[in-house]
Amino acid sequence: MQLDAILEVAIGLVFVWLVISVATMEVQNRISILLGWRAEQLEKSILSMLKDETLVRKFYEHPLVIELAQKDKNGNLIKDKKGAIRRPTYIPNATFATVACEVIINAGKEGQTVPLDTMSISEMKASIKSLAEKNPNLERVNHYLMPKMEKAADDLDVKLAEYRKNTEAWFGDVMSQASNWYKIRAQWMAFWIGLAIAVSINIDTINIAQKLWQEPTARAIIAAQAQAEAQNEDATSISFATAKSLNFPAGWTTTALDTKACRLIDIIDYQIVIRSAGDCLAVTSLPSLNNGWGMFVKLFGYLLSAAAAAQGAPFWFDILRKLVGVKPQPEAK
């Protein structure tokens, strides 16, 4: 019996962390799209590779890249306040290789970027030779991407295919590194968003664990709902609406005071008091302000919730499914 109770508390906690992780993920995605962080990170990575803003501009002006730009629900290209097309948040490796090869081989000549099949081998060689003077840093990289260009006359198509393959692998390596940095940045952002959510609606992990342990009925209801949600394909169906219907031990609680003499936000007898509809309401979800240990435990509970949110919804959804798999199903009568 004790083991079942511990397991149900664990399932309940993981379910709570899953809910806050899903909410954090939604907020984070909206902020990321609004501020264009993914597109910005991709552009910085491409600039670090091509090492020239002019080449980056030509890269993004390529028709294949423009087709990947952000679009609205009607398929129209989205533009920013300056009228510029919003750059893509993702570029497939093969597309990057095709476009980058054209941009790099065209980089040493004047004029617009043209398809490689319209250039002669002599034009390619002359352009790459000129690239060494215009962009020596890129030329050093290009030496490894396009080795033995001077011997490419007899099997140009084979050589170009090799160059695209090398460029695709190069892009994959760079994006793998950029992805790691982005994940670290996103995880820190998720922590702070999760902390804001936890504080705003009082998702205190320690308090929730205590409530789940003390209230078997609520614990069983949440565990049963968690088992049902774990049958879904992913965590996207989880929401605060689901949590609210289960009466999660979260949210702020208040009690009316006898006095009506208080400011909008006040402190009376070491309790935070808010004024609402003419009444003075003491926030009972917080310990007294002179209770140092209680405030420390409360803060620690919020930090645990924020740390859980930073792990991401897929992480907790996977753990929830494993826990639910461990919990024995009730026998049918």
Side-chain angles (χ1 to χ4, degrees), residues 254-266 268 272-283:
T254 60
T255 183
L257 300 179
D258 294 333
T259 180
K260 293 185 180 296
C262 64
R263 293 185 289 268
L264 183 62
I265 299 178
D266 208 342
I268 299 177
I272 293 180
V273 176
I274 59 174
R275 188 175 184 83
S276 177
D279 294 326
C280 295
L281 305 177
V283 179

PDB file of all heavy atoms in Angstrom, residues 254-266 268 272-283:
ATOM      1  N   THR A 254      -6.871  32.714  -0.849  1.00  0.00           N
ATOM      2  CA  THR A 254      -6.958  33.899   0.020  1.00  0.00           C
ATOM      3  C   THR A 254      -8.081  33.717   1.036  1.00  0.00           C
ATOM      4  O   THR A 254      -8.975  32.880   0.854  1.00  0.00           O
ATOM      5  CB  THR A 254      -7.233  35.171  -0.803  1.00  0.00           C
ATOM      6  OG1 THR A 254      -8.475  35.019  -1.506  1.00  0.00           O
ATOM      7  CG2 THR A 254      -6.116  35.443  -1.806  1.00  0.00           C
ATOM      8  N   THR A 255      -7.994  34.518   2.067  1.00  0.00           N
ATOM      9  CA  THR A 255      -9.081  34.548   3.056  1.00  0.00           C
ATOM     10  C   THR A 255      -9.373  36.005   3.408  1.00  0.00           C
ATOM     11  O   THR A 255      -8.455  36.832   3.501  1.00  0.00           O
ATOM     12  CB  THR A 255      -8.690  33.761   4.327  1.00  0.00           C
ATOM     13  OG1 THR A 255      -9.800  33.748   5.228  1.00  0.00           O
ATOM     14  CG2 THR A 255      -7.503  34.380   5.030  1.00  0.00           C
ATOM     15  N   ALA A 256     -10.634  36.327   3.556  1.00  0.00           N
ATOM     16  CA  ALA A 256     -11.041  37.709   3.824  1.00  0.00           C
ATOM     17  C   ALA A 256     -10.717  38.098   5.263  1.00  0.00           C
ATOM     18  O   ALA A 256     -10.908  37.313   6.201  1.00  0.00           O
ATOM     19  CB  ALA A 256     -12.526  37.878   3.542  1.00  0.00           C
ATOM     20  N   LEU A 257     -10.211  39.304   5.425  1.00  0.00           N
ATOM     21  CA  LEU A 257      -9.922  39.844   6.765  1.00  0.00           C
ATOM     22  C   LEU A 257     -11.109  40.675   7.254  1.00  0.00           C
ATOM     23  O   LEU A 257     -11.947  41.127   6.460  1.00  0.00           O
ATOM     24  CB  LEU A 257      -8.664  40.710   6.707  1.00  0.00           C
ATOM     25  CG  LEU A 257      -7.361  40.023   6.261  1.00  0.00           C
ATOM     26  CD1 LEU A 257      -6.219  41.025   6.234  1.00  0.00           C
ATOM     27  CD2 LEU A 257      -7.024  38.848   7.171  1.00  0.00           C
ATOM     28  N   ASP A 258     -11.166  40.872   8.542  1.00  0.00           N
ATOM     29  CA  ASP A 258     -12.247  41.688   9.117  1.00  0.00           C
ATOM     30  C   ASP A 258     -12.107  43.151   8.725  1.00  0.00           C
ATOM     31  O   ASP A 258     -13.097  43.849   8.510  1.00  0.00           O
ATOM     32  CB  ASP A 258     -12.246  41.565  10.642  1.00  0.00           C
ATOM     33  CG  ASP A 258     -12.601  40.150  11.098  1.00  0.00           C
ATOM     34  OD1 ASP A 258     -13.307  39.459  10.337  1.00  0.00           O
ATOM     35  OD2 ASP A 258     -12.157  39.745  12.192  1.00  0.00           O
ATOM     36  N   THR A 259     -10.883  43.612   8.636  1.00  0.00           N
ATOM     37  CA  THR A 259     -10.661  45.013   8.291  1.00  0.00           C
ATOM     38  C   THR A 259     -10.831  45.243   6.794  1.00  0.00           C
ATOM     39  O   THR A 259     -10.642  44.328   5.984  1.00  0.00           O
ATOM     40  CB  THR A 259      -9.242  45.441   8.722  1.00  0.00           C
ATOM     41  OG1 THR A 259      -9.060  46.818   8.373  1.00  0.00           O
ATOM     42  CG2 THR A 259      -8.174  44.623   8.005  1.00  0.00           C
ATOM     43  N   LYS A 260     -11.199  46.465   6.444  1.00  0.00           N
ATOM     44  CA  LYS A 260     -11.267  46.862   5.043  1.00  0.00           C
ATOM     45  C   LYS A 260     -10.294  48.000   4.744  1.00  0.00           C
ATOM     46  O   LYS A 260     -10.336  48.595   3.674  1.00  0.00           O
ATOM     47  CB  LYS A 260     -12.688  47.283   4.678  1.00  0.00           C
ATOM     48  CG  LYS A 260     -13.694  46.135   4.727  1.00  0.00           C
ATOM     49  CD  LYS A 260     -15.059  46.572   4.234  1.00  0.00           C
ATOM     50  CE  LYS A 260     -16.053  45.409   4.283  1.00  0.00           C
ATOM     51  NZ  LYS A 260     -15.672  44.318   3.372  1.00  0.00           N
ATOM     52  N   ALA A 261      -9.422  48.252   5.717  1.00  0.00           N
ATOM     53  CA  ALA A 261      -8.439  49.329   5.559  1.00  0.00           C
ATOM     54  C   ALA A 261      -7.112  48.725   5.076  1.00  0.00           C
ATOM     55  O   ALA A 261      -6.276  48.295   5.871  1.00  0.00           O
ATOM     56  CB  ALA A 261      -8.240  50.064   6.875  1.00  0.00           C
ATOM     57  N   CYS A 262      -6.972  48.649   3.770  1.00  0.00           N
ATOM     58  CA  CYS A 262      -5.715  48.142   3.192  1.00  0.00           C
ATOM     59  C   CYS A 262      -5.526  48.743   1.809  1.00  0.00           C
ATOM     60  O   CYS A 262      -6.485  49.184   1.166  1.00  0.00           O
ATOM     61  CB  CYS A 262      -5.727  46.619   3.119  1.00  0.00           C
ATOM     62  SG  CYS A 262      -6.982  45.934   2.008  1.00  0.00           S
ATOM     63  N   ARG A 263      -4.279  48.784   1.395  1.00  0.00           N
ATOM     64  CA  ARG A 263      -3.961  49.272   0.057  1.00  0.00           C
ATOM     65  C   ARG A 263      -4.169  48.164  -0.974  1.00  0.00           C
ATOM     66  O   ARG A 263      -4.520  47.034  -0.624  1.00  0.00           O
ATOM     67  CB  ARG A 263      -2.519  49.785   0.016  1.00  0.00           C
ATOM     68  CG  ARG A 263      -2.301  51.033   0.875  1.00  0.00           C
ATOM     69  CD  ARG A 263      -0.877  51.550   0.688  1.00  0.00           C
ATOM     70  NE  ARG A 263       0.079  50.643   1.320  1.00  0.00           N
ATOM     71  CZ  ARG A 263       0.514  50.769   2.551  1.00  0.00           C
ATOM     72  NH1 ARG A 263       0.042  51.751   3.324  1.00  0.00           N
ATOM     73  NH2 ARG A 263       1.400  49.921   3.042  1.00  0.00           N
ATOM     74  N   LEU A 264      -3.918  48.468  -2.250  1.00  0.00           N
ATOM     75  CA  LEU A 264      -4.094  47.475  -3.315  1.00  0.00           C
ATOM     76  C   LEU A 264      -3.246  46.237  -3.037  1.00  0.00           C
ATOM     77  O   LEU A 264      -3.708  45.097  -3.167  1.00  0.00           O
ATOM     78  CB  LEU A 264      -3.720  48.081  -4.675  1.00  0.00           C
ATOM     79  CG  LEU A 264      -3.931  47.177  -5.896  1.00  0.00           C
ATOM     80  CD1 LEU A 264      -5.407  46.831  -6.040  1.00  0.00           C
ATOM     81  CD2 LEU A 264      -3.400  47.853  -7.152  1.00  0.00           C
ATOM     82  N   ILE A 265      -1.995  46.457  -2.660  1.00  0.00           N
ATOM     83  CA  ILE A 265      -1.123  45.383  -2.184  1.00  0.00           C
ATOM     84  C   ILE A 265      -0.508  45.867  -0.883  1.00  0.00           C
ATOM     85  O   ILE A 265       0.121  46.921  -0.836  1.00  0.00           O
ATOM     86  CB  ILE A 265      -0.019  45.042  -3.205  1.00  0.00           C
ATOM     87  CG1 ILE A 265      -0.633  44.564  -4.522  1.00  0.00           C
ATOM     88  CG2 ILE A 265       0.902  43.959  -2.639  1.00  0.00           C
ATOM     89  CD1 ILE A 265       0.386  44.260  -5.600  1.00  0.00           C
ATOM     90  N   ASP A 266      -0.702  45.110   0.190  1.00  0.00           N
ATOM     91  CA  ASP A 266      -0.293  45.581   1.513  1.00  0.00           C
ATOM     92  C   ASP A 266       0.300  44.419   2.311  1.00  0.00           C
ATOM     93  O   ASP A 266       0.264  43.255   1.879  1.00  0.00           O
ATOM     94  CB  ASP A 266      -1.515  46.159   2.246  1.00  0.00           C
ATOM     95  CG  ASP A 266      -1.128  47.228   3.250  1.00  0.00           C
ATOM     96  OD1 ASP A 266       0.054  47.297   3.624  1.00  0.00           O
ATOM     97  OD2 ASP A 266      -2.025  47.987   3.664  1.00  0.00           O
ATOM     98  N   ILE A 268       0.018  43.033   6.257  1.00  0.00           N
ATOM     99  CA  ILE A 268      -0.622  43.164   7.574  1.00  0.00           C
ATOM    100  C   ILE A 268      -0.259  41.920   8.391  1.00  0.00           C
ATOM    101  O   ILE A 268      -0.519  40.789   7.950  1.00  0.00           O
ATOM    102  CB  ILE A 268      -2.153  43.284   7.445  1.00  0.00           C
ATOM    103  CG1 ILE A 268      -2.522  44.544   6.638  1.00  0.00           C
ATOM    104  CG2 ILE A 268      -2.812  43.322   8.816  1.00  0.00           C
ATOM    105  CD1 ILE A 268      -4.015  44.705   6.393  1.00  0.00           C
ATOM    106  N   ILE A 272       0.951  38.967   3.222  1.00  0.00           N
ATOM    107  CA  ILE A 272       0.672  39.784   2.047  1.00  0.00           C
ATOM    108  C   ILE A 272      -0.839  39.875   1.866  1.00  0.00           C
ATOM    109  O   ILE A 272      -1.545  38.856   1.895  1.00  0.00           O
ATOM    110  CB  ILE A 272       1.329  39.189   0.788  1.00  0.00           C
ATOM    111  CG1 ILE A 272       2.859  39.269   0.902  1.00  0.00           C
ATOM    112  CG2 ILE A 272       0.860  39.910  -0.469  1.00  0.00           C
ATOM    113  CD1 ILE A 272       3.604  38.715  -0.283  1.00  0.00           C
ATOM    114  N   VAL A 273      -1.319  41.081   1.710  1.00  0.00           N
ATOM    115  CA  VAL A 273      -2.754  41.327   1.601  1.00  0.00           C
ATOM    116  C   VAL A 273      -3.021  42.078   0.300  1.00  0.00           C
ATOM    117  O   VAL A 273      -2.283  42.997  -0.064  1.00  0.00           O
ATOM    118  CB  VAL A 273      -3.271  42.146   2.805  1.00  0.00           C
ATOM    119  CG1 VAL A 273      -4.748  42.484   2.640  1.00  0.00           C
ATOM    120  CG2 VAL A 273      -3.025  41.396   4.105  1.00  0.00           C
ATOM    121  N   ILE A 274      -4.083  41.682  -0.400  1.00  0.00           N
ATOM    122  CA  ILE A 274      -4.474  42.380  -1.629  1.00  0.00           C
ATOM    123  C   ILE A 274      -5.903  42.887  -1.462  1.00  0.00           C
ATOM    124  O   ILE A 274      -6.703  42.292  -0.727  1.00  0.00           O
ATOM    125  CB  ILE A 274      -4.370  41.468  -2.867  1.00  0.00           C
ATOM    126  CG1 ILE A 274      -5.264  40.221  -2.695  1.00  0.00           C
ATOM    127  CG2 ILE A 274      -2.937  41.051  -3.131  1.00  0.00           C
ATOM    128  CD1 ILE A 274      -5.320  39.341  -3.926  1.00  0.00           C
ATOM    129  N   ARG A 275      -6.187  43.977  -2.123  1.00  0.00           N
ATOM    130  CA  ARG A 275      -7.534  44.550  -2.049  1.00  0.00           C
ATOM    131  C   ARG A 275      -8.302  44.163  -3.304  1.00  0.00           C
ATOM    132  O   ARG A 275      -7.840  44.350  -4.433  1.00  0.00           O
ATOM    133  CB  ARG A 275      -7.455  46.064  -1.935  1.00  0.00           C
ATOM    134  CG  ARG A 275      -8.804  46.728  -1.661  1.00  0.00           C
ATOM    135  CD  ARG A 275      -8.651  48.223  -1.431  1.00  0.00           C
ATOM    136  NE  ARG A 275      -9.925  48.835  -1.082  1.00  0.00           N
ATOM    137  CZ  ARG A 275     -10.436  48.849   0.148  1.00  0.00           C
ATOM    138  NH1 ARG A 275      -9.774  48.289   1.139  1.00  0.00           N
ATOM    139  NH2 ARG A 275     -11.590  49.429   0.389  1.00  0.00           N
ATOM    140  N   SER A 276      -9.462  43.573  -3.123  1.00  0.00           N
ATOM    141  CA  SER A 276     -10.277  43.140  -4.257  1.00  0.00           C
ATOM    142  C   SER A 276     -11.747  43.354  -3.935  1.00  0.00           C
ATOM    143  O   SER A 276     -12.236  42.868  -2.898  1.00  0.00           O
ATOM    144  CB  SER A 276     -10.017  41.658  -4.559  1.00  0.00           C
ATOM    145  OG  SER A 276     -10.843  41.196  -5.605  1.00  0.00           O
ATOM    146  N   ALA A 277     -12.434  44.081  -4.818  1.00  0.00           N
ATOM    147  CA  ALA A 277     -13.872  44.360  -4.654  1.00  0.00           C
ATOM    148  C   ALA A 277     -14.189  44.946  -3.287  1.00  0.00           C
ATOM    149  O   ALA A 277     -15.208  44.617  -2.660  1.00  0.00           O
ATOM    150  CB  ALA A 277     -14.684  43.081  -4.890  1.00  0.00           C
ATOM    151  N   GLY A 278     -13.282  45.788  -2.786  1.00  0.00           N
ATOM    152  CA  GLY A 278     -13.499  46.452  -1.517  1.00  0.00           C
ATOM    153  C   GLY A 278     -13.114  45.648  -0.293  1.00  0.00           C
ATOM    154  O   GLY A 278     -13.153  46.160   0.824  1.00  0.00           O
ATOM    155  N   ASP A 279     -12.738  44.372  -0.480  1.00  0.00           N
ATOM    156  CA  ASP A 279     -12.351  43.522   0.644  1.00  0.00           C
ATOM    157  C   ASP A 279     -10.835  43.397   0.727  1.00  0.00           C
ATOM    158  O   ASP A 279     -10.133  43.489  -0.283  1.00  0.00           O
ATOM    159  CB  ASP A 279     -12.958  42.122   0.499  1.00  0.00           C
ATOM    160  CG  ASP A 279     -14.470  42.136   0.611  1.00  0.00           C
ATOM    161  OD1 ASP A 279     -14.984  42.963   1.387  1.00  0.00           O
ATOM    162  OD2 ASP A 279     -15.128  41.337  -0.083  1.00  0.00           O
ATOM    163  N   CYS A 280     -10.339  43.166   1.924  1.00  0.00           N
ATOM    164  CA  CYS A 280      -8.923  42.913   2.139  1.00  0.00           C
ATOM    165  C   CYS A 280      -8.728  41.401   2.252  1.00  0.00           C
ATOM    166  O   CYS A 280      -9.294  40.765   3.158  1.00  0.00           O
ATOM    167  CB  CYS A 280      -8.427  43.608   3.413  1.00  0.00           C
ATOM    168  SG  CYS A 280      -8.498  45.411   3.316  1.00  0.00           S
ATOM    169  N   LEU A 281      -7.948  40.836   1.349  1.00  0.00           N
ATOM    170  CA  LEU A 281      -7.779  39.390   1.284  1.00  0.00           C
ATOM    171  C   LEU A 281      -6.338  39.026   1.609  1.00  0.00           C
ATOM    172  O   LEU A 281      -5.404  39.482   0.939  1.00  0.00           O
ATOM    173  CB  LEU A 281      -8.137  38.873  -0.117  1.00  0.00           C
ATOM    174  CG  LEU A 281      -9.536  39.236  -0.640  1.00  0.00           C
ATOM    175  CD1 LEU A 281      -9.706  38.728  -2.066  1.00  0.00           C
ATOM    176  CD2 LEU A 281     -10.624  38.662   0.270  1.00  0.00           C
ATOM    177  N   ALA A 282      -6.142  38.207   2.616  1.00  0.00           N
ATOM    178  CA  ALA A 282      -4.810  37.735   2.976  1.00  0.00           C
ATOM    179  C   ALA A 282      -4.463  36.526   2.115  1.00  0.00           C
ATOM    180  O   ALA A 282      -5.262  35.596   1.968  1.00  0.00           O
ATOM    181  CB  ALA A 282      -4.765  37.362   4.448  1.00  0.00           C
ATOM    182  N   VAL A 283      -3.262  36.547   1.528  1.00  0.00           N
ATOM    183  CA  VAL A 283      -2.807  35.438   0.689  1.00  0.00           C
ATOM    184  C   VAL A 283      -2.327  34.318   1.596  1.00  0.00           C
ATOM    185  O   VAL A 283      -1.265  34.403   2.216  1.00  0.00           O
ATOM    186  CB  VAL A 283      -1.680  35.889  -0.264  1.00  0.00           C
ATOM    187  CG1 VAL A 283      -1.211  34.708  -1.115  1.00  0.00           C
ATOM    188  CG2 VAL A 283      -2.157  37.033  -1.147  1.00  0.00           C
TER     189      VAL A 283
END
